[in-house]
Amino acid sequence: MDYLKLITTRFVRDRLRETSWADRWYIEDLYHIERFVKQGGVKSVMQGYYRQALMLHHPVEWECISREITAGEVTSPQEFAQLLREHKEREAAEKQARLRARLEGREAYDRAHRDLWLQMGGRP
């Protein structure tokens, strides 16, 4: 838990105030994001894998921490909530589009192969 003393961004400190003990791993992830941004990238393959996992699980947080460290722009709790909401809506829309495309592909496959099925004596 010594990493708590090393947190430097206001964004992570704000999330710490909002987070319960049961979710302490979230704050540890944010600390690691902060560290990766500060060091300017990864130094090993394992760090690369960990960085990718953090970016996948916390993309909005990554952007907010990066902005604060590189540009000095602090994200308010209200702005963060809005960014998180927008990200979730975007993700849901993308998931819906992927599902729709997959279903359309399946229907096209079925249409293309149904005639052959019937020609070969298959039952409708």
Side-chain angles (χ1 to χ4, degrees):
M1 297 307 272
D2 290 336
Y3 67 88
L4 292 174
K5 297 175 186 173
L6 302 174
I7 293 171
T8 59
T9 60
R10 182 170 173 198
F11 178 83
V12 178
R13 280 187 256 125
D14 287 347
R15 298 298 75 73
L16 177 62
R17 287 186 197 97
E18 299 170 351
T19 305
S20 70
W21 171 253
D23 296 327
R24 63 191 173 276
W25 305 114
Y26 173 67
I27 300 302
E28 187 173 353
D29 284 352
L30 297 184
Y31 164 72
H32 288 292
I33 291 171
E34 194 177 269
R35 199 179 83 205
F36 281 128
V37 172
K38 282 185 204 169
Q39 75 182 21
V42 296
K43 305 295 182 197
S44 70
V45 173
M46 286 308 296
Q47 279 188 355
Y49 285 124
Y50 190 45
R51 177 184 180 272
Q52 283 303 110
L54 290 172
M55 289 179 82
L56 179 67
H57 293 292
H58 309 293
V60 176
E61 292 89 338
W62 186 284
E63 183 61 35
C64 292
I65 292 169
S66 287
R67 243 187 313 154
E68 185 171 341
I69 291 173
T70 59
E73 297 176 24
V74 178
T75 306
S76 70
Q78 297 81 9
E79 185 182 358
F80 173 63
Q82 177 65 27
L83 290 169
L84 206 53
R85 194 170 26 260
E86 289 170 2
H87 174 74
K88 286 180 181 179
E89 289 170 0
R90 215 172 24 254
E91 250 187 4
E94 289 171 2
K95 183 177 180 180
Q96 192 69 12
R98 284 191 307 271
L99 178 61
R100 190 172 27 260
R102 191 168 63 220
L103 288 175
E104 288 171 1
R106 178 66 186 196
E107 289 170 359
Y109 177 85
D110 286 348
R111 279 192 305 275
H113 292 89
R114 187 169 194 270
D115 291 337
L116 178 61
W117 176 265
L118 295 173
Q119 285 175 1
M120 298 303 294
R123 294 174 39 185

